[in-house]
Amino acid sequence: MNKRIDESRLRKILGGLMLALFLAALDQTIIAVVLPNIAHELALPEYLPWVVSAYLLAMTVATPIAGKLGDLFGRTRLLYGAIVLFICASLLCSLTRNIAELVAARTLQGIAAGAMMTCILGLIGELIAPAERGRYQAWFSGMYAIASLAGPLLGTFIGEWSWRGVFLINLPLGLVALFLAQRGLQGLANSRTTSKVDYLGCGLLILSLVSLMLLITRIGHGEPWRSAEHAAMLLTGTLGIMAFSYWQTKAREPLIPPTLLRIPTLRAGLILMLFSNFLSLGLAVLIPLQAQSSNATLLLIALASGVPVGAYSGGRLSSHLKRYKPLILAGCAALPLTLSGIAWTVGSQLPLLTFLFLTGIALGLQFPTVLVAIQNAAPHTQLGVATACCGLVRGLGGALGRHC
């Protein structure tokens, strides 16, 4: 693919990519408010949490594999396939007759969403010069936050008609996203590498991640952590990670090249991204639990609205300064202060809203700039893998923050 394109062509491409990212992020949260309706119609309410968790688990597991496949076969082809799969899976979700079918369809949705997000962020890194990536990645971080915030609100509105409507809305929006993406990307060469798929590595990674994510999810749903089943999951996940790590040092075409993780900037960025997403999702769950129900939505809005403000400001400043490290450090330095403010102002609404908004800004400063730092540090041939690693740690951090 051409590494640099003109501004007008880029804006045409961004429309479809941002809409696709919006859909992937939206379906993380839009389903939550219609779960009671689903339980009433499909019964078996004890399995309802898996309607949400299956999507998040599949999305997390799919990201590193999608990153490698994007490097091998081209991100544009994989993106088109992922959008089509997302549309089909959404249709299946709307037609399900029981909880088992809905969880299976949500799993397909999650796989497609993980591939979509990885391809989109990888394309931004491929199409845009390093000095300008922060500005555009900020748009996508802001869109992600807006979609997460809009999910419950849109779900409430559509749920008054039918819970199946929260999936049917993806059909026209998905088709528009596919049309816009194809129109914008048409004629651009499909960048790809000439290596093979590490099938054994894929299998080991899926086995270990599914085991660990299932363990986190089950414990987060209130199941007792001391059980033989959970011990087996922990053992399987741990041994799977060890086997995967060993195999990556021996494989001719590793799924996640060990040399990539030896880059200091990339290691530090992944750790920071894990912590940031743990914190953001943890606060999104914890703060409403500590507040009165009438204030929960307002508190979430304060936190979520700060993220796009910080992301946009950080992206613009990084493009202007041609540096991203000062902004990352500023966000890291601000977090202890804003979190201390939250701890001391719980119960006092206006100060709490202020500190939540400032926390969102501090987190927003980090999201696009850390991603840009990782993409700039990674070799161009491994851009998709590096971006996918970001999605992987983002999903793990979110799962830990949501369930711990």
Side-chain angles (χ1 to χ4, degrees):
M1 181 175 293
N2 299 333
K3 295 181 180 179
R4 306 291 175 256
I5 56 177
D6 62 82
E7 186 78 11
S8 61
R9 179 72 180 275
L10 183 60
R11 292 183 182 277
K12 292 180 181 179
I13 295 173
L14 292 181
L17 299 187
M18 291 185 73
L19 181 55
L21 183 72
F22 178 84
L23 287 174
L26 182 71
D27 270 63
Q28 294 182 89
T29 57
I30 193 173
I31 189 69
V33 294
V34 296
L35 288 178
N37 308 59
I38 296 174
H40 177 74
E41 183 173 335
L42 301 183
L44 298 176
E46 64 271 21
Y47 293 104
L48 276 181
W50 289 104
V51 175
V52 177
S53 297
Y55 183 90
L56 299 174
L57 190 154
M59 184 169 64
T60 301
V61 172
T63 50
I65 298 173
K68 184 65 174 181
L69 293 177
D71 285 338
L72 291 176
F73 304 114
R75 275 174 275 278
T76 55
R77 292 179 181 178
L78 188 60
L79 175 62
Y80 299 156
I83 295 175
V84 171
L85 178 59
F86 188 84
I87 294 170
C88 294
S90 299
L91 179 60
L92 290 176
C93 287
S94 70
L95 298 174
T96 51
R97 298 162 296 179
N98 54 60
I99 288 290
E101 291 181 358
L102 182 56
V103 170
R106 285 283 286 172
T107 301
L108 285 177
Q109 249 195 335
I111 293 171
M116 285 162 58
M117 294 177 69
T118 302
C119 291
I120 289 166
L121 297 178
L123 280 169
I124 295 303
E126 186 174 343
L127 294 171
I128 298 173
E132 294 295 319
R133 284 176 187 167
R135 178 159 60 100
Y136 289 98
Q137 293 288 14
W139 292 5
F140 285 85
S141 295
M143 179 61 74
Y144 189 92
I146 291 171
S148 300
L149 174 63
L153 302 177
L154 190 58
T156 301
F157 175 75
I158 298 175
E160 294 181 358
W161 166 59
S162 170
W163 65 265
R164 299 178 189 272
V166 302
F167 301 112
L168 291 174
I169 193 175
N170 292 333
L171 274 61
L173 293 179
L175 290 172
V176 172
L178 181 61
F179 170 76
L180 292 177
Q182 284 186 315
R183 186 182 68 171
L185 295 169
Q186 187 177 12
L188 294 179
N190 207 23
S191 177
R192 51 187 293 182
T193 59
T194 57
S195 55
K196 297 180 180 180
V197 179
D198 178 15
Y199 293 105
L200 179 57
C202 289
L204 290 172
L205 185 63
I206 291 173
L207 175 65
S208 53
L209 287 180
V210 167
S211 299
L212 294 175
M213 291 288 288
L214 280 175
L215 177 63
I216 294 170
T217 303
R218 287 168 67 97
I219 293 176
H221 290 164
E223 298 185 25
W225 64 274
R226 289 185 177 180
S227 69
E229 190 175 2
H230 289 167
M233 289 180 181
L234 179 59
L235 182 62
T236 301
T238 304
L239 292 178
I241 289 293
M242 294 173 61
F244 173 77
S245 300
Y246 175 77
W247 173 247
Q248 294 305 282
T249 64
K250 302 298 181 183
R252 295 182 60 184
E253 299 288 349
L255 182 65
I256 301 178
T259 54
L260 194 64
L261 299 180
R262 296 192 189 109
I263 301 173
T265 300
L266 195 137
R267 288 201 308 270
L270 292 178
I271 292 171
L272 184 57
M273 188 167 286
L274 177 73
F275 173 75
S276 298
N277 282 275
F278 170 83
L279 182 60
S280 61
L281 269 294
L283 285 174
V285 172
L286 179 63
I287 293 298
L289 292 177
Q290 300 296 320
Q292 299 178 359
S293 58
S294 58
N295 294 332
T297 301
L298 186 60
L299 295 174
L300 287 176
I301 290 175
L303 177 64
S305 59
V307 174
V309 173
Y312 180 78
S313 301
R316 296 290 295 183
L317 285 172
S318 67
S319 296
H320 178 71
L321 299 174
K322 310 300 181 185
R323 299 179 63 192
Y324 44 77
K325 187 175 180 179
L327 300 167
I328 297 175
L329 294 177
C332 291
L335 277 176
L337 301 177
T338 60
L339 292 174
S340 298
I342 291 173
W344 285 102
T345 56
V346 171
S348 181
Q349 183 167 324
L350 184 58
L352 179 58
L353 290 172
T354 302
F355 280 111
L356 282 170
F357 179 72
L358 292 175
T359 299
I361 291 177
L363 290 169
L365 282 173
Q366 298 177 51
F367 289 149
T369 48
V370 170
L371 179 58
V372 170
I374 290 172
Q375 289 182 333
N376 289 352
H380 182 72
T381 56
Q382 298 173 353
L383 181 63
V385 175
T387 304
C389 287
C390 296
L392 174 60
V393 299
R394 182 172 56 234
L396 289 173
L400 289 169
R402 186 180 293 103
H403 297 303
C404 289

